């Protein structure tokens, strides 16, 4: 299997040198706000941030590629990373605009990134990974790479499943979706078409009021596989677990040589990790990327 160092070498080779930037999701900005869970979340999950009181969050919206200079109008997956910062501990959630993940191993993911940067290599990748085709078709139909009107209008799909332990001790596997809430009501006037138009539009939105996303949770049914990032779930129920309300642009926490990492394996008591190989590979790759940034 590819090592974290090899993965970062190949991803950075695909996008070119951008010193100090993330290897992927290089272009992004930080925002602050709160998360308030619903009673339905507290009934099903014992984690501290699910108990109903407002919890501070740090959010980073981003473009998916490794080129920090890419214009916002370029086709790309977009990301929404959320760190729920409860006093009892932080947990991170990373979503992307692609509803389906096309591969299930780190090796295949790195090859997919390389092929996406060289269109001539894409047919060869698909010949070796034909199972990626259905997911890529779903993502294309969903417009996953089409620049959204706004980050506030985009739906984000964290690909990994987590276990929730309820107050009565029952464990359930869940998946999340971050759905925009009332995005039309906060749409600013004016035209935003520059290289940083998504970020400029977000600043204008936040000057007028908060931006909200619903944390939607689907509970796995028997037969739904929490350990395979490509698996398609039937689910037994889907419910509103709470609202993420972004209220302001946050001071950049990465000044003076500091680095902020959103790690999908950072969890708190009451949340558990699956054996998803993509999920378990990410912390090592992030550490390798951070070491190079510093």
């Amino acid at each position: 299997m590819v090592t974290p160092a090899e993965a970062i070498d190949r991803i950075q080779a695909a996008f070119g040198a951008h010193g100090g930037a993330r290897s992927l999701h290089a272009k992004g900005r930080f925002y602050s706000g709160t998360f308030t869970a619903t009673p339905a979340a507290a009934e099903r999950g014992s984690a501290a941030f699910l108990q109903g009181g407002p919890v501070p969050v740090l959010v980073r919206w981003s473009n998916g590629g490794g080129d920090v200079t890419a214009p916002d109008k370029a086709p790309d997956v977009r990301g929404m990373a959320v760190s729920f910062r409860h006093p009892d501990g932080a947990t991170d959630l990373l979503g992307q605009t692609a509803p389906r993940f096309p591969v299930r191993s780190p090796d295949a993911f790195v090859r997919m990134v390389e092929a996406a940067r060289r269109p001539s290599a894409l047919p060869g990748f698909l010949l070796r990974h034909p199972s990626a085709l259905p997911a890529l078709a779903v993502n294309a139909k969903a417009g996953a790479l089409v620049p959204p009107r706004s980050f506030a209008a985009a739906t984000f799909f964290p690909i990994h499943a987590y276990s929730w332990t309820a107050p009565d001790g029952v464990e359930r596997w869940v998946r999340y979706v971050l759905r925009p809430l009332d995005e039309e009501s906060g749409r600013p006037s004016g035209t935003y078409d520059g290289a940083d138009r998504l970020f400029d539009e977000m600043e204008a939105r936040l000057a007028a009021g908060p931006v909200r996303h619903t944390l939607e949770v689907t509970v796995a049914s028997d037969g739904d596989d929490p350990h395979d990032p490509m698996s398609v779930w039937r689910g037994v129920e889907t419910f509103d677990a709470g609202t993420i309300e972004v209220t302001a642009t946050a001071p950049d926490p990465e000044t003076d040589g500091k680095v902020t990492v959103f790690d999908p394996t950072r969890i708190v008591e009451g949340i558990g990790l699956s054996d998803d190989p993509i999920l378990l590979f990410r912390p090592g790759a992030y550490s390798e990327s951070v070491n190079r940034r510093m």
Side-chain angles (χ1 to χ4, degrees):
M1 185 176 77
V2 67
T3 67
E6 291 167 343
I8 299 303
D9 281 342
R10 290 165 60 182
I11 290 170
Q12 290 185 344
F15 284 98
H18 299 279
R22 287 166 167 78
S23 299
L24 291 173
H25 292 273
K27 184 179 181 180
R29 294 183 190 173
F30 295 90
Y31 304 86
S32 60
T34 59
F35 169 72
T36 304
T38 61
E43 290 171 4
R44 294 161 175 81
S46 58
F49 73 98
L50 298 175
Q51 301 316 301
V55 175
V57 295
L58 181 68
V59 172
R60 186 176 186 265
W61 278 300
S62 63
N63 296 332
D67 183 356
V68 73
T69 66
D72 289 356
K73 66 181 179 181
D76 202 351
V77 168
R78 316 293 155 164
M80 180 177 179
V82 185
S83 183
F84 302 86
R85 300 195 161 188
H86 192 277
D88 290 347
T91 190
D92 295 350
L93 195 61
L94 283 70
Q96 59 182 17
T97 49
R100 294 271 299 277
F101 203 66
V103 296
R104 58 173 52 90
S105 74
D107 302 77
F109 175 74
V110 173
R111 287 194 290 270
M112 182 178 69
V113 171
E114 292 173 325
R117 295 295 290 172
R118 293 189 299 112
S120 62
L122 192 56
F125 169 80
L126 293 174
L127 283 173
R128 290 190 295 272
H129 302 278
S131 62
L133 280 167
L136 292 174
V138 169
N139 293 344
K141 185 176 181 180
L145 301 182
V146 176
R149 295 192 308 274
S150 168
F151 287 125
T155 300
F156 298 89
F157 302 86
I159 66 169
H160 306 299
Y162 295 86
S163 69
W164 275 21
T165 301
D168 61 5
V170 173
E171 293 188 2
R172 301 173 176 88
W173 288 104
V174 304
R175 273 181 172 167
Y176 307 97
V177 177
L178 300 166
R179 294 199 184 276
L181 186 63
D182 300 329
E183 68 90 9
E184 284 295 338
S185 65
R187 193 172 183 179
S189 60
T191 301
Y192 301 89
D193 55 8
D196 300 326
R197 73 166 186 83
L198 289 172
F199 302 98
D200 294 341
E201 194 268 358
M202 181 55 67
E203 290 193 10
R205 275 184 185 268
L206 292 175
V211 170
R212 300 180 179 90
H213 277 75
T214 296
L215 180 63
E216 181 182 283
V217 173
T218 295
V219 179
S221 63
D222 291 341
D224 290 341
D225 188 350
H227 310 294
D228 181 356
M230 291 181 66
S231 65
V232 179
W233 283 16
R234 291 174 299 163
V236 293
E237 67 167 337
T238 297
F239 65 93
D240 176 359
T243 300
I244 297 165
E245 183 175 87
V246 175
T247 54
T249 300
D252 189 348
E254 299 195 323
T255 56
D256 301 324
K258 298 176 183 177
V259 174
T260 296
V261 176
F262 294 86
D263 180 352
T265 66
R266 182 180 294 123
I267 54 175
V268 293
E269 185 176 356
I271 307 291
L273 302 177
S274 73
D275 294 325
D276 177 344
I278 298 289
L279 172 64
L280 299 182
F281 186 81
R282 290 174 80 163
Y286 292 173
S287 294
E288 180 67 29
S289 180
V290 165
N291 289 339
R292 298 183 189 199
R293 293 174 66 193
M294 296 180 68

